[in-house]
Amino acid sequence: MSTDAKTLSPRAVTWARRRQATRRAWDAYRVQRSGMVGLVLLGAIVLLAIAAPLLVSPADLSVTQATGGRMDPPSAGFPLGTDTNGRSVLALVLWGSRLSLVIGLTATVVAIVIGTLLGLTSGYYGGWYGWFTLRFSDWFMVLPSLVVAIALLAVMGRSVVTTIVVIAIVSWSGTTRLVRAQTLTVKSRPYLERARALGAGDWHQMTKHLLPNVLPLVLASATLLVPSAILMESTLAWLGLGDPTVISWGSILNEASNQGAVSARAWWYLLPPGLAILLVVLSFMMCGRALEAVFNPRLRGESS
């Protein structure tokens, strides 16, 4: 060990090791071609969503200020055609990306926090609490998610907040089982036995030893959970259960279906939001599979 390493504080050594682990993970991720393609695609979608207020004016979203005809085909003024109110479909898709991504990401964060908390504590404490948590998560896993979400929205009302809460409620159970299994594996390792022998408390063991070891799997799980949340939000909005006052990809599809875009053969009204959902789901899936390969070396040959 060098003199500089000996003079570093324990906290500095810990952060240095974490930086090295992050660099190794990034190096392993970069060789996953599908993961890099998904990352670039996802970055482009996020940038367009962030820049939407600069690219789309309030007049483009207003029904009363629309300048196009009813479901006009693509033209120079409207590259993706117009909707039933004469608004630009391109402007609607760009603006709708903001809500779809926000709901998908926020619902995923809430579900991941709930699942990680329950999985970590149930795996660590075990006993009747661990048994009850496992059975409770099993019960949620066997329930049809879409049916449960529809029932909850019917009771709680239609809004962005309730949509996020409902999606999180039907999405946390898988993370709980994953974190619990990893916690049980890490809990049996010798260094945790030494920590307990030295007087480390439950909080110290869970936050300093168990949580850092389960976070990589949680991150990989989150990237696969986001597309599911976006699909759920789009499906609920398409069924007419989303917030009617906001624009999302699902609400665009709902409006197109209700206004007869299929019978009118207005493909430009249906295809752009559908392709946008497909692209963002595909990009998250590619990133998630690449992260799985990074954290599970046995999968690296399959994901590249």
Side-chain angles (χ1 to χ4, degrees):
M1 184 181 294
S2 64
T3 304
D4 294 338
K6 291 180 180 179
T7 59
L8 292 176
S9 65
R11 183 180 296 273
V13 172
T14 300
W15 280 106
R17 290 175 177 174
R18 290 176 180 175
R19 286 193 295 269
Q20 291 176 359
T22 302
R23 284 196 296 268
R24 288 195 299 268
W26 171 244
D27 291 338
Y29 185 92
R30 286 191 302 175
V31 301
Q32 307 293 325
R33 288 172 294 181
S34 61
M36 291 303 296
V37 172
L39 186 61
V40 171
L41 184 60
L42 181 61
I45 295 172
V46 171
L47 285 177
L48 286 175
I50 294 175
L54 302 177
L55 302 174
V56 180
S57 66
D60 295 329
L61 306 176
S62 174
V63 175
T64 58
Q65 301 182 44
T67 58
R70 185 178 187 275
M71 286 192 285
D72 285 345
S75 61
F78 301 98
L80 294 182
T82 62
D83 70 346
T84 185
N85 297 307
R87 296 175 296 179
S88 171
V89 174
L90 177 59
L92 294 175
V93 171
L94 287 175
W95 194 262
S97 64
R98 296 170 61 84
L99 184 65
S100 295
L101 288 175
V102 166
I103 290 180
L105 292 171
T106 307
T108 298
V109 170
V110 176
I112 288 294
V113 170
I114 296 174
T116 302
L117 178 63
L118 292 178
L120 191 66
T121 54
S122 65
Y124 180 80
Y125 290 110
W128 67 267
Y129 172 73
W131 179 89
F132 176 79
T133 304
L134 184 61
R135 299 286 82 80
F136 190 58
S137 64
D138 288 343
W139 183 69
F140 265 91
M141 289 188 72
V142 299
L143 290 175
S145 300
L146 183 59
V147 176
V148 174
I150 292 174
L152 290 175
L153 281 176
V155 174
M156 300 170 62
R158 297 184 297 168
S159 70
V160 174
V161 175
T162 55
T163 300
I164 292 173
V165 172
V166 166
I167 294 175
I169 288 175
V170 300
S171 303
W172 63 269
S173 56
T175 303
T176 297
R177 291 188 63 88
L178 178 67
V179 173
R180 183 179 185 275
Q182 183 67 7
T183 299
L184 291 174
T185 301
V186 178
K187 184 181 175 182
S188 62
R189 293 178 181 173
Y191 67 85
L192 268 178
E193 296 181 3
R194 290 195 296 268
R196 285 191 291 269
L198 292 173
D202 295 342
W203 177 256
H204 178 87
Q205 292 180 60
M206 285 191 289
T207 58
K208 300 298 183 180
H209 298 294
L210 292 175
L211 186 59
N213 280 279
V214 303
L215 277 181
L217 288 179
V218 170
L219 177 61
S221 175
T223 56
L224 297 175
L225 191 57
V226 172
S228 299
I230 292 175
L231 282 175
M232 178 70 73
E233 183 278 328
S234 300
T235 302
L236 293 172
W238 176 66
L239 292 173
L241 296 172
D243 190 338
T245 63
V246 296
I247 299 173
S248 70
W249 291 331
S251 66
I252 298 173
L253 291 173
N254 172 262
E255 183 71 16
S257 300
N258 292 339
Q259 298 299 324
V262 177
S263 59
R265 298 182 180 180
W267 58 266
W268 55 88
Y269 198 1
L270 294 165
L271 195 59
L275 284 178
I277 295 172
L278 175 63
L279 287 176
V280 73
V281 168
L282 180 62
S283 61
F284 271 110
M285 292 293 291
M286 294 170 73
C287 292
R289 294 303 180 189
L291 284 175
E292 278 189 337
V294 169
F295 300 129
N296 186 356
R298 290 176 296 180
L299 299 177
R300 288 181 186 174
E302 301 176 7
S303 182
S304 60

